Amino acid sequence: MVEVAGAAGSIGDKPALKALLSKLRSQLGPADVGLPVSRYAGKGRRPASGLRQSDIDLLTDRSPGTYSRFESGSERPRPTESYLLAVARALRMTEEDWRALWLYRLNSHPPYPLKPEASVVIGEHWQDIVDDYGGPAYITDRAWKVRFYNQRFADIFPNGIPPENTMEWMVLSRYSREVGLPDWENSWARLVLPQLRAAYNQFPQNRELGLLVRKVEKDPVAGPLYASLDESYRQPDGDTRFLWHAGRNERVTVTMGPSMPLAAPGFLLMHLLLNYRAKPSNWRDHTHPLSAPIGG
């Protein structure tokens, strides 16, 4: 039987689920998945062009009939993540197929990419989208490396040059700690470091992310904070904090609006809303006096 994970839930879209799985089965032959063609060929019969439902039971190491019930949209028992992953691998799903599988079967988005370490290609059209936004905007990959940004984002930084990696800049840059990010420890470091830890847990084999974590752990300032995190992970959506705007040479508030390009799990599109007068509603002004922006 399909492994049970909690109570059975309603199917998102049975016809779409069946259409997706049937199509994927039809696109694979026995040789594609390491099954002998003789399983399909009887006397005077031609091998089938696609995989049978019983083949998926064999490939996923489940009892006969398990996959048939799953493809038909049977609500009981509810499949676990491990079964969905096994089916996805057996049918050689793409990331788009993986998301559709979760939506059609469980009415939810998958908790992680199907292939966390696969090379992610994000279209150049995102540069046009970022450029068209009226405020600062940028896109980072899974390790917070900046892929696209607009000029309004660049203007925030000294000499109009944005950092190559926003997480590294936020937690390791001396400029960020002393000038760029007012109340650095409480308003920035203790909020973004849990995001770093969560990302590393999600993508533990990401080399660049691992290198960044090790840099943070070795840092005499950020390292102890990272090691003794007492803040729970939270998304930055709607957060408002102080920021030093080097281009304007003044302190502003910034409200963050993150989203994710659907074809690039783990990537982040960040829109920033700047306000040149207001303070965050929960702001406590206990920062040191700001000096003029410095490099480094």
Side-chain angles (χ1 to χ4, degrees):
M1 296 179 67
V2 177
E3 300 152 290
V4 178
S10 60
I11 305 299
D13 190 330
K14 284 186 180 181
L17 176 68
K18 184 173 180 60
L20 171 68
L21 297 175
S22 297
K23 178 182 177 181
L24 293 174
R25 279 195 301 108
S26 71
Q27 293 174 343
L28 295 172
D32 296 325
V33 296
L35 295 177
V37 177
S38 58
R39 283 176 48 85
Y40 290 73
K43 186 176 181 179
R45 295 173 55 193
R46 297 174 59 189
S49 59
L51 295 176
R52 296 171 176 171
Q53 292 180 335
S54 58
D55 294 327
I56 309 303
D57 287 330
L58 181 64
L59 294 170
T60 57
D61 196 26
R62 299 308 197 274
S63 59
T66 298
Y67 178 78
S68 175
R69 292 191 296 274
F70 176 73
E71 186 175 297
S72 68
S74 175
E75 295 188 9
R76 295 179 182 276
R78 182 183 176 90
T80 61
E81 290 181 16
S82 64
Y83 183 71
L84 294 176
L85 187 59
V87 169
R89 288 172 174 168
L91 293 175
R92 299 189 175 183
M93 289 186 176
T94 64
E95 294 293 343
E96 289 76 15
D97 297 331
W98 176 240
R99 285 191 294 275
L101 177 66
W102 276 78
L103 289 170
Y104 296 160
R105 180 56 182 86
L106 297 176
N107 276 317
S108 66
H109 290 281
Y112 46 79
L114 178 60
K115 301 174 182 177
E117 293 312 306
S119 177
V120 178
V121 178
I122 183 169
E124 294 294 326
H125 64 280
W126 281 104
Q127 181 64 65
D128 296 330
I129 294 172
V130 167
D131 284 338
D132 195 54
Y133 179 63
Y138 63 95
I139 293 178
T140 56
D141 63 16
R142 295 166 181 169
W144 279 275
K145 183 177 180 180
V146 177
R147 291 292 194 92
F148 301 109
Y149 65 89
N150 61 17
Q151 186 58 49
R152 290 169 290 280
F153 176 66
D155 290 341
I156 292 173
F157 303 93
N159 302 316
I161 302 174
E164 293 184 2
N165 187 296
T166 56
M167 179 61 72
E168 185 171 1
W169 181 83
M170 286 188 290
V171 301
L172 297 179
S173 166
R174 176 171 166 255
Y175 170 82
S176 299
R177 295 169 181 171
E178 297 185 14
V179 176
L181 305 178
D183 189 33
W184 174 80
E185 179 176 336
N186 296 305
S187 295
W188 291 91
R190 290 188 178 277
L191 298 181
V192 300
L193 285 172
Q195 295 172 26
L196 176 60
R197 173 166 287 175
Y200 189 50
N201 287 332
Q202 185 176 8
F203 306 111
Q205 296 179 349
N206 186 295
R207 183 175 178 275
E208 291 186 349
L209 200 52
L211 289 174
L212 178 56
V213 168
R214 285 190 284 277
K215 282 184 181 180
V216 171
E217 290 175 334
K218 294 178 180 179
D219 185 82
V221 179
L225 291 175
Y226 186 79
S228 61
L229 285 176
D230 56 5
E231 300 284 344
S232 60
Y233 169 75
R234 82 182 206 194
Q235 294 286 354
D237 191 7
D239 277 4
T240 299
R241 307 168 197 167
F242 272 127
L243 171 75
W244 182 262
H245 194 299
R248 295 178 60 94
N249 199 37
E250 67 174 301
R251 187 169 63 176
V252 302
T253 59
V254 57
T255 300
M256 284 156 271
S259 58
M260 184 182 73
L262 294 178
F267 280 52
L268 184 71
L269 166 62
M270 182 69 79
H271 292 117
L272 303 178
L273 178 63
L274 301 183
N275 189 312
Y276 304 106
R277 290 177 298 276
K279 287 186 177 181
S281 59
N282 61 346
W283 174 252
R284 293 178 299 160
D285 198 351
H286 50 75
T287 63
H288 59 76
L290 291 176
S291 63
I294 57 176

